[in-house]
Amino acid sequence: MNYEFILKDLKPSENETKGVYEISDKLIKTIDNICKNEDINAKAHLVGSVSKKTWLSGKSDIDIFIRFPLDTSITTLKEKGLYIGHKVNDLMNGEAWEHYASHPYLTCDIEGYEVDFVPCYKIKTGDQIKSAVDRTVLHTEYIQSNLKEEQIGEVLLLKKFMDCIGVYGSEFKTGGFAGYLCELLILKYNTFENTLKEVSKWRYNVKIDLENYGTSKNFKKDPLVFIDPTDKNRNVGAALRLERMVDFILASRNFLKIIKDTKLSEEEKEKKVREYFTPLKKELLNKENIINDFLDRGTKTLILQFDIPEISADSLHPQLKKTIESLSEKIETEEFSVFKSDYWTNEEDTAIFIIELNVYTQSKYKIHKGPKIWPEKACDNFKGKWGEKCYPLDDFLVLTKEREFRTVEEYLRYILTEEHISIIKVGKNIRKTICDSYQLNNIEDILLNLEVNNKYDFLNKLDDFLRPGQYLKR
Amino acid sequence: MNYEFILKDLKPSENETKGVYEISDKLIKTIDNICKNEDINAKAHLVGSVSKKTWLSGKSDIDIFIRFPLDTSITTLKEKGLYIGHKVNDLMNGEAWEHYASHPYLTCDIEGYEVDFVPCYKIKTGDQIKSAVDRTVLHTEYIQSNLKEEQIGEVLLLKKFMDCIGVYGSEFKTGGFAGYLCELLILKYNTFENTLKEVSKWRYNVKIDLENYGTSKNFKKDPLVFIDPTDKNRNVGAALRLERMVDFILASRNFLKIIKDTKLSEEEKEKKVREYFTPLKKELLNKENIINDFLDRGTKTLILQFDIPEISADSLHPQLKKTIESLSEKIETEEFSVFKSDYWTNEEDTAIFIIELNVYTQSKYKIHKGPKIWPEKACDNFKGKWGEKCYPLDDFLVLTKEREFRTVEEYLRYILTEEHISIIKVGKNIRKTICDSYQLNNIEDILLNLEVNNKYDFLNKLDDFLRPGQYLKR
């Protein structure tokens, strides 16, 4: 299929392109001047999608890496790196925010562009890496050298498609495909459409090794193995979550069914294809509809809201994920039943666990299983602990014991205390805030009175919770 | 301990003994006369506890076997056997009921004694057996030859103890110890108290082989293996259910703790020992208490009552057991949760399933799991069947599907129809009656209006249901 009718909206205009490169040049020159004048041994380097010409129109975030020689101490690198960033930002009258991922960097708003200044080491091969971001320059150079002019449009189509089906972005929140991985897929499969065709046949642990390093056999468990052409011992797909890979495969199949559908006229086909490159429309997204949908399910849904500390999103998300998963597991251990659970955060000040329960209340007693009856000593010990009310069930000694918790709410209020929080696996940075600040409500009550920043995004999350897989087809 | 104070109540009085033997002699002579006069080749033989002098005072059921030569046809044996039984019953002005277990026999009420007339083959060794009852005579002879006079009291103590803790009787309803097995245990362990001492150390699959046949290794799965001294390939413990064996072990330990308790005076000890030889007193046994106990448990208890056909108790009980077990299992498969279930029958015209539920209602939807997403063909088939609402969960294609049954009652009403009853394993003789006649009620409602024969026994069953293990200690 000819995708020109889609591409024309994805390609940056001449004006946009000109503007981006002008400001990028200016920033690089400014940095290099600062280094020269102040005798700092570093050099600016444009990386990322702008440097590779693979950014989607309107998404021209500028990534400038400030490269230091390998013998620079990490302290100097951090200090000088941030210093240079702030200085160029000031010179350009920008606004700056410091970030600390594994590595400190500066995000600035300069003349309306979002610009990242990232200090790093200047390495020549992947195995020289000292800091996680060092290899970005190698990635950029590899794509610049290998991606053909006519493949750029294919990258844009793939990125936009992925974005609209919810699998684009390698940050932990999404766990999807990084821009670099998109570009590599086009290097491997040549076109957008052919990529989807190949992807629709992917199996678990599919292996791609562009440079034939022969190292892919070392990655036995990753859902997708794409050996980094700049580092034979690295899997570019390592951060891709199985769910996102599966989403991509299913959406590819759905999309290809339209392409192959001989009953559709060209016009109908174009209309449907265009929908796949348009964010999903959510017309029913409002509080009342969501409440009604939850009520219809006949479940009980608890909303556990709590404060979060100031930590990076990529550190916060895995902690929230781990905690809600462990909590759900423990709820099931108490013989309640979780129908579905998930978390949401505005990444600023609050997080929410959504816990939908199939079994929320239970009867008064449970069977507490003791030892096999055969060894008398073990039985005596058990009786010593639990008293004379033990009785046999099959060949076990058991006890009908009053449950400590007859509702999930009682159980949560027990767990979420400093004394008992260790029962679950809880993210280390939220351990204290969750106990200190949590509020527990029914979804119906909370939705009518919810006050959080980015509330629309929370409603969106609830909508996704209710309608799994909705992004995968149009 | 000296158990004379218990034994004096267990031993039949001289009067009782005299009466039993007089009537037994008379019956045997009458039968032998009939045979002689009518030229029937058969001979009467007194068997069972009366013949072994091991009956408990007041329980002098008389078992008379009518033995035919091995070459008699089974038709002749049945016909002549019943004929003789009826004839002697008529001559003695008794009342008779025919029974058909694996084998037909006659139970009569003659001068206030319960007398069984059982036709069988005259065999000399266990391997000649033609009908299930043939070996009874061999058992009788073995005990008569081997049980010493001073061991008879020990047998009586053991039988009474077992009876009071609920493990005496090999019929399927109890699944406990047969009289013959009690006698063999005394042959093995000599005294009542020593038997309890040895039993309290029993392990699963414990093996006893009085005659050293060396065949016990062939019984790997039976909880108790006691090689029949009259048939080396038979386990006398085959019909003993694990639960009853376990009950016996635990009660033995409980009893021995009293015997060994040095803090008790002789008087206190005798009082407590006496309680173990007295049926459990149930002072709280009435409808109101039982209803309150069920309500306190916070469960939902369903009572499923239905008609039963006229079949023998030993055929009925396993069918009821199998059916309620299968039904409980299926209820759990539908994600409800059974806290406890059991059955009861008056063995006349009605049976009842008691189904106590921890989870009785459920939410509207369930997750229906489809194939792994990797093979596209399997996904297409699944979608073809379930429509486009499928979505991925991990790497499975699944569906949020409306549950067919949101309460256990709905599910039971679905199952208990001719069309769907095959979903469960149902006893062949109750298959039709359960579908045609069942009534489903809450325990509270049914108890206030229950009309069945032997209602007290049902209340007793419910009491046992609520208080498992209550017979095992005093």
Side-chain angles (χ1 to χ4, degrees):
Chain A
M1 181 157 196
N2 187 332
Y3 294 92
E4 203 46 53
F5 71 105
I6 301 290
L7 258 179
K8 67 182 169 49
D9 295 332
L10 307 184
K11 277 184 188 156
S13 67
E14 269 182 48
N15 251 349
E16 182 179 345
T17 309
K18 194 162 160 271
V20 170
Y21 286 127
E22 276 176 11
I23 183 87
S24 299
D25 279 353
K26 199 168 170 184
L27 291 169
I28 286 170
K29 277 179 190 145
T30 310
I31 291 170
D32 288 348
N33 268 329
I34 294 168
C35 291
K36 199 176 160 192
N37 294 340
E38 306 201 13
D39 203 19
I40 299 171
N41 193 355
K43 213 167 158 23
H45 201 102
L46 183 66
V47 299
S49 60
V50 166
S51 73
K52 297 180 277 190
K53 305 183 206 157
T54 56
W55 81 94
L56 289 164
S57 171
K59 301 214 165 171
S60 54
D61 298 342
I62 297 167
D63 295 318
I64 293 175
F65 277 36
I66 305 166
R67 300 173 90 200
F68 292 80
L70 274 170
D71 58 4
T72 315
S73 79
I74 185 72
T75 325
T76 308
L77 177 136
K78 286 180 184 175
E79 194 184 296
K80 296 287 181 188
L82 285 179
Y83 166 78
I84 295 166
H86 279 293
K87 183 127 187 182
V88 61
N89 179 63
D90 292 347
L91 288 170
M92 304 287 289
N93 298 311
E95 206 177 338
W97 297 266
E98 288 187 7
H99 291 287
Y100 299 86
S102 59
H103 197 90
Y105 65 97
L106 208 63
T107 297
C108 304
D109 177 355
I110 296 173
E111 296 182 11
Y113 292 95
E114 191 183 307
V115 185
D116 280 352
F117 296 109
V118 183
C120 72
Y121 286 103
K122 181 173 178 171
I123 59 173
K124 280 187 184 138
T125 56
D127 55 4
Q128 294 179 311
I129 183 173
K130 286 184 78 170
S131 121
V133 297
D134 297 344
R135 56 164 60 92
T136 302
V137 179
L138 303 185
H139 292 167
T140 300
E141 288 170 350
Y142 186 84
I143 297 299
Q144 285 168 338
S145 310
N146 291 279
L147 192 73
K148 298 183 195 104
E149 191 67 29
E150 66 268 24
Q151 289 177 318
I152 287 176
E154 306 297 329
V155 170
L156 297 184
L157 288 167
L158 184 57
K159 283 186 175 177
K160 184 70 179 178
F161 178 81
M162 283 185 167
D163 196 33
C164 290
I165 64 164
V167 305
Y168 186 61
S170 62
E171 72 284 2
F172 192 93
K173 180 185 172 184
T174 305
F177 293 78
Y180 179 50
L181 187 48
C182 283
E183 291 148 1
L184 290 176
L185 285 172
I186 293 300
L187 287 184
K188 171 72 184 173
Y189 296 131
N190 202 27
T191 67
F192 160 71
E193 195 173 304
N194 192 49
T195 302
L196 266 50
K197 274 184 194 157
E198 294 297 329
V199 164
S200 70
K201 292 179 279 184
W202 273 359
R203 289 291 187 266
Y204 190 94
N205 197 235
V206 59
K207 285 165 173 147
I208 305 170
D209 183 1
L210 268 185
E211 297 289 337
N212 298 315
Y213 289 128
T215 48
S216 67
K217 62 179 181 303
N218 302 332
F219 300 91
K220 293 195 172 63
K221 291 189 174 171
D222 291 346
L224 168 66
V225 182
F226 201 128
I227 298 299
D228 191 343
T230 76
D231 183 347
K232 66 175 190 292
N233 294 314
R234 178 172 178 264
N235 174 17
V236 185
L240 176 68
R241 278 219 294 271
L242 174 64
E243 299 97 294
R244 292 300 88 74
M245 178 175 171
V246 165
D247 287 348
F248 185 35
I249 293 170
L250 295 184
S252 295
R253 290 176 185 166
N254 291 338
F255 180 85
L256 291 172
K257 286 221 169 75
I258 289 165
I259 299 297
K260 287 186 251 166
D261 191 341
T262 51
K263 282 179 208 144
L264 293 174
S265 70
E266 279 311 299
E267 222 170 39
E268 288 169 323
K269 211 171 266 190
E270 285 196 3
K271 183 169 174 290
K272 280 179 176 281
V273 165
R274 190 186 297 281
E275 284 174 4
Y276 272 91
F277 291 91
T278 314
L280 191 72
K281 284 175 207 78
K282 294 189 168 182
E283 277 148 16
L284 295 171
L285 192 54
N286 65 58
K287 286 191 290 195
E288 288 68 28
N289 283 332
I290 286 175
I291 290 176
N292 286 336
D293 281 352
F294 272 106
L295 290 179
D296 168 67
R297 286 152 79 100
T299 48
K300 171 108 175 172
T301 302
L302 296 176
I303 294 295
L304 185 83
Q305 186 180 356
F306 54 95
D307 300 342
I308 51 172
E310 279 188 35
I311 55 173
S312 75
D314 261 13
S315 173
L316 175 64
H317 281 277
Q319 294 192 35
L320 293 173
K321 185 166 189 284
K322 177 175 90 171
T323 307
I324 182 62
E325 283 175 358
S326 172
L327 197 54
S328 300
E329 217 173 85
K330 285 290 170 191
I331 290 172
E332 298 249 336
T333 315
E334 292 292 318
E335 296 184 69
F336 300 104
S337 129
V338 177
F339 186 70
K340 186 168 182 166
S341 65
D342 208 339
Y343 73 90
W344 173 85
T345 175
N346 62 10
E347 299 183 355
E348 279 172 43
D349 55 6
T350 197
I352 285 176
F353 288 162
I354 310 160
I355 308 169
E356 185 182 19
L357 297 145
N358 185 26
V359 177
Y360 171 72
T361 54
Q362 283 197 83
S363 59
K364 189 167 175 184
Y365 299 102
K366 64 176 174 183
I367 306 291
H368 179 73
K369 211 168 177 177
K372 288 247 185 189
I373 66 101
W374 311 103
E376 185 168 4
K377 186 91 187 94
C379 292
D380 285 345
N381 290 343
F382 189 72
K383 280 187 188 169
K385 184 165 179 193
W386 296 108
E388 285 297 316
K389 288 201 164 180
C390 307
Y391 61 92
L393 187 65
D394 301 323
D395 55 351
F396 287 91
L397 205 61
V398 305
L399 185 74
T400 303
K401 205 172 130 192
E402 225 171 292
R403 289 182 195 279
E404 279 179 276
F405 316 104
R406 291 190 61 182
T407 66
V408 175
E409 179 166 345
E410 286 172 36
Y411 183 60
L412 290 176
R413 293 201 185 282
Y414 170 84
I415 288 275
L416 297 175
T417 53
E418 236 174 275
E419 206 182 336
H420 304 120
I421 188 79
S422 299
I423 292 171
I424 60 168
K425 287 179 197 143
V426 59
K428 67 175 192 289
N429 297 116
I430 58 170
R431 188 188 180 88
K432 189 168 156 46
T433 59
I434 193 170
C435 294
D436 291 351
S437 69
Y438 83 86
Q439 290 178 289
L440 192 58
N441 288 286
N442 288 332
I443 190 140
E444 310 91 272
D445 305 331
I446 197 71
L447 273 190
L448 296 172
N449 305 298
L450 186 68
E451 283 184 34
V452 290
N453 288 341
N454 219 346
K455 186 165 159 180
Y456 178 85
D457 193 58
F458 177 58
L459 290 183
N460 196 41
K461 177 78 192 188
L462 291 176
D463 185 70
D464 292 347
F465 186 95
L466 290 164
R467 277 167 275 282
Q470 63 176 334
Y471 297 100
L472 308 187
K473 53 184 168 281
R474 294 294 189 278
Chain B
M1 182 155 194
N2 186 332
Y3 294 92
E4 204 45 54
F5 71 107
I6 302 290
L7 259 179
K8 66 179 169 50
D9 295 332
L10 306 185
K11 276 185 188 155
S13 67
E14 269 183 49
N15 250 350
E16 182 178 345
T17 308
K18 191 161 163 269
V20 170
Y21 286 129
E22 273 176 13
I23 183 88
S24 299
D25 279 353
K26 196 167 172 186
L27 291 168
I28 285 172
K29 277 178 189 146
T30 308
I31 292 171
D32 287 347
N33 268 331
I34 293 168
C35 291
K36 197 176 164 193
N37 294 340
E38 306 201 14
D39 202 19
I40 300 171
N41 193 353
K43 211 166 161 22
H45 201 102
L46 184 66
V47 299
S49 60
V50 166
S51 73
K52 297 179 277 189
K53 305 184 207 156
T54 56
W55 82 93
L56 289 164
S57 171
K59 300 212 166 175
S60 54
D61 299 341
I62 298 169
D63 295 318
I64 293 177
F65 276 36
I66 305 166
R67 300 174 92 198
F68 292 81
L70 274 170
D71 59 4
T72 315
S73 81
I74 185 73
T75 325
T76 308
L77 178 136
K78 285 180 185 176
E79 195 185 297
K80 296 285 181 191
L82 285 179
Y83 167 78
I84 296 167
H86 278 294
K87 183 129 191 181
V88 61
N89 178 64
D90 292 347
L91 287 171
M92 304 286 289
N93 297 313
E95 207 177 337
W97 297 266
E98 288 186 8
H99 291 289
Y100 298 85
S102 59
H103 198 87
Y105 65 97
L106 207 63
T107 298
C108 304
D109 177 355
I110 295 174
E111 295 181 12
Y113 292 96
E114 192 182 308
V115 185
D116 280 352
F117 295 109
V118 184
C120 72
Y121 286 102
K122 182 172 179 171
I123 59 173
K124 280 186 183 136
T125 57
D127 55 4
Q128 293 180 309
I129 183 174
K130 283 183 82 171
S131 123
V133 297
D134 296 345
R135 56 164 60 90
T136 304
V137 178
L138 303 185
H139 293 167
T140 301
E141 289 170 351
Y142 186 83
I143 298 300
Q144 285 169 338
S145 311
N146 290 280
L147 192 73
K148 297 180 195 110
E149 191 66 29
E150 66 267 26
Q151 289 176 320
I152 286 176
E154 306 297 328
V155 170
L156 296 183
L157 288 167
L158 184 57
K159 283 186 177 179
K160 184 70 179 177
F161 178 80
M162 283 185 167
D163 195 34
C164 290
I165 64 166
V167 305
Y168 185 62
S170 63
E171 72 285 2
F172 193 92
K173 180 184 174 186
T174 306
F177 293 78
Y180 179 50
L181 187 47
C182 284
E183 290 148 3
L184 289 176
L185 285 172
I186 293 300
L187 286 186
K188 171 73 184 173
Y189 296 131
N190 201 26
T191 67
F192 161 72
E193 196 173 304
N194 193 48
T195 301
L196 265 50
K197 274 183 193 156
E198 294 297 328
V199 164
S200 71
K201 292 179 278 184
W202 272 359
R203 288 292 187 266
Y204 189 93
N205 197 236
V206 59
K207 286 165 172 143
I208 305 170
D209 183 3
L210 268 185
E211 296 288 337
N212 298 313
Y213 289 129
T215 48
S216 68
K217 61 179 183 303
N218 302 334
F219 300 90
K220 294 195 171 65
K221 291 189 174 169
D222 292 345
L224 167 66
V225 182
F226 201 126
I227 299 299
D228 190 343
T230 75
D231 182 349
K232 66 178 193 290
N233 293 314
R234 178 171 178 266
N235 175 18
V236 185
L240 177 68
R241 278 221 294 272
L242 174 63
E243 299 98 293
R244 291 301 87 75
M245 178 175 172
V246 164
D247 286 348
F248 184 36
I249 294 170
L250 295 184
S252 295
R253 290 176 185 165
N254 291 338
F255 179 85
L256 292 171
K257 286 220 170 76
I258 289 165
I259 300 296
K260 287 185 249 165
D261 191 340
T262 51
K263 282 180 208 141
L264 292 175
S265 70
E266 278 312 298
E267 221 171 41
E268 287 169 323
K269 210 171 269 190
E270 284 196 2
K271 183 168 174 290
K272 278 177 177 284
V273 165
R274 190 186 296 281
E275 283 174 4
Y276 272 91
F277 290 91
T278 313
L280 192 71
K281 284 178 205 75
K282 293 189 168 182
E283 276 148 17
L284 295 170
L285 192 55
N286 65 58
K287 285 191 291 194
E288 289 68 28
N289 283 331
I290 286 175
I291 290 176
N292 286 338
D293 280 353
F294 272 106
L295 290 179
D296 168 69
R297 286 153 81 99
T299 49
K300 170 108 173 171
T301 302
L302 297 176
I303 294 295
L304 185 83
Q305 186 180 356
F306 54 95
D307 299 342
I308 51 170
E310 277 188 37
I311 54 174
S312 74
D314 260 13
S315 173
L316 175 63
H317 280 278
Q319 294 193 35
L320 293 173
K321 185 166 190 283
K322 177 175 92 172
T323 307
I324 181 62
E325 283 175 358
S326 173
L327 197 56
S328 299
E329 217 174 82
K330 286 290 169 189
I331 291 172
E332 297 249 336
T333 315
E334 291 293 317
E335 296 184 67
F336 300 104
S337 128
V338 176
F339 186 69
K340 186 168 183 165
S341 64
D342 209 338
Y343 75 89
W344 173 83
T345 176
N346 62 10
E347 299 183 355
E348 279 172 41
D349 55 6
T350 197
I352 285 176
F353 289 161
I354 310 160
I355 308 170
E356 185 182 21
L357 297 144
N358 185 25
V359 177
Y360 171 73
T361 55
Q362 282 198 84
S363 60
K364 188 168 175 182
Y365 300 101
K366 65 176 174 182
I367 307 290
H368 178 73
K369 210 168 179 179
K372 288 247 183 190
I373 66 102
W374 312 104
E376 185 169 4
K377 186 88 187 95
C379 292
D380 285 344
N381 290 344
F382 189 71
K383 280 186 188 169
K385 184 165 180 193
W386 296 108
E388 285 298 315
K389 290 202 162 177
C390 307
Y391 61 92
L393 186 67
D394 302 323
D395 55 352
F396 286 91
L397 205 61
V398 303
L399 185 75
T400 305
K401 206 172 126 190
E402 225 170 291
R403 289 182 196 279
E404 280 179 276
F405 316 104
R406 290 188 63 182
T407 66
V408 175
E409 178 167 346
E410 286 172 37
Y411 183 59
L412 289 177
R413 293 201 185 281
Y414 171 83
I415 288 274
L416 297 176
T417 53
E418 236 174 276
E419 207 181 335
H420 304 120
I421 188 79
S422 299
I423 292 171
I424 58 169
K425 287 180 198 142
V426 60
K428 67 174 192 289
N429 297 116
I430 58 170
R431 188 188 179 89
K432 189 168 156 48
T433 58
I434 193 170
C435 294
D436 291 352
S437 69
Y438 82 85
Q439 290 177 290
L440 192 58
N441 288 286
N442 289 332
I443 190 140
E444 310 91 273
D445 304 331
I446 197 69
L447 273 191
L448 295 173
N449 304 298
L450 186 68
E451 283 183 34
V452 290
N453 288 341
N454 219 345
K455 187 165 161 180
Y456 179 84
D457 193 58
F458 177 57
L459 290 183
N460 195 40
K461 176 78 192 187
L462 291 176
D463 185 71
D464 292 347
F465 187 95
L466 290 165
R467 278 170 273 282
Q470 63 178 335
Y471 297 99
L472 308 187
K473 51 184 171 283
R474 294 293 190 276

